[in-house]
């Protein structure tokens, strides 16, 4: 069975300083992004492109999307494979190359998830499931650059039983 999924998002430029785009430096690169029933997401261009460094930018959001998609698939795969995950943190890193003409493209994203499981016998399989999660991630399947992984899996032992 094939299915189509649609995602509705609206983006509104909020950076008009009263003169529009009368010059390259005459406007802010700020915008609001909305989707029905969700909080407003304020964004801007990357600071390197005259944006507000305090705001989310499209490049950060792309890296975040890859990290989030991987997380969700990974947790699903662990759940259906009887691997108990009790902690997950990813320190994702994206690299974008800009050429002499100003054209740019992402060349690589590295996900570095640190996963905590409850038993040592889960570590090997938990680590291996990152490959499956990457293969199933819709976002990773949609980009034209490699999404690499350097996972680390640790065990959190249960607290000791209280003395009786």
């Amino acid at each position: 069975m094939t299915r189509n999924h649609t995602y509705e998002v609206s983006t509104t430029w909020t950076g008009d300083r009263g003169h529009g785009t009368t010059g390259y430096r005459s406007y802010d690169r700020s915008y609001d992004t909305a989707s029905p029933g969700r909080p407003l997401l304020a964004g801007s261009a990357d600071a390197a492109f005259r944006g507000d460094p305090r705001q989310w930018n499209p490049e950060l959001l792309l890296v975040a999307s890859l990290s989030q998609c991987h997380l969700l698939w990974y947790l699903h795969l662990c759940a259906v494979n009887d691997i108990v995950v009790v902690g997950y943190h990813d320190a994702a890193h994206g690299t974008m190359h800009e050429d002499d003409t100003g054209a740019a493209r992402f060349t690589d994203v590295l996900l570095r998830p640190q996963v905590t499981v409850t038993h040592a016998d889960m570590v090997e399989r938990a680590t291996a499931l990152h490959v499956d999660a990457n293969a199933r991630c819709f976002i990773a399947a949609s980009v034209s650059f490699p999404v690499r992984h350097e996972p680390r899996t640790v065990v959190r032992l249960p607290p000791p039983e209280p003395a009786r």
Side-chain angles (χ1 to χ4, degrees), residues 142-162:
S142 301
V143 299
S144 62
F145 52 83
V147 179
R148 299 179 301 115
H149 306 88
E150 290 179 358
R152 181 170 170 244
T153 307
V154 297
V155 178
R156 182 176 80 193
L157 300 175
E161 299 266 335

Side-chain angles (χ1 to χ4, degrees), residues 47-103:
F49 305 107
R50 304 193 53 76
D52 184 342
R54 299 166 298 176
Q55 305 269 357
W56 284 92
N57 61 58
E59 296 82 9
L60 286 172
L61 290 169
L62 177 61
V63 175
S65 292
L66 287 162
S67 178
Q68 294 162 355
C69 186
H70 185 85
L71 161 71
L72 296 170
W73 268 109
Y74 181 77
L75 293 176
H76 167 78
L77 292 170
C78 286
V80 299
N81 283 282
D82 299 319
I83 296 170
V84 181
V85 174
V86 294
Y88 185 108
H89 174 78
D90 183 15
H93 175 82
T95 302
M96 186 174 76
H97 175 75
E98 184 178 0
D99 68 21
D100 294 338
T101 70

Side-chain angles (χ1 to χ4, degrees), residues 105-148:
R105 68 180 302 271
F106 271 84
T107 57
D108 180 74
V109 168
L110 174 63
L111 304 180
R112 296 176 289 207
Q114 178 171 317
V115 178
T116 305
V117 296
T118 57
H119 296 286
D121 62 352
M122 297 176 179
V123 170
E124 184 177 338
R125 181 73 178 130
T127 302
L129 283 175
H130 288 284
V131 173
D132 295 341
N134 184 62
R136 293 180 181 225
C137 171
F138 312 136
I139 309 301
S142 301
V143 299
S144 62
F145 52 83
V147 179
R148 299 179 301 115

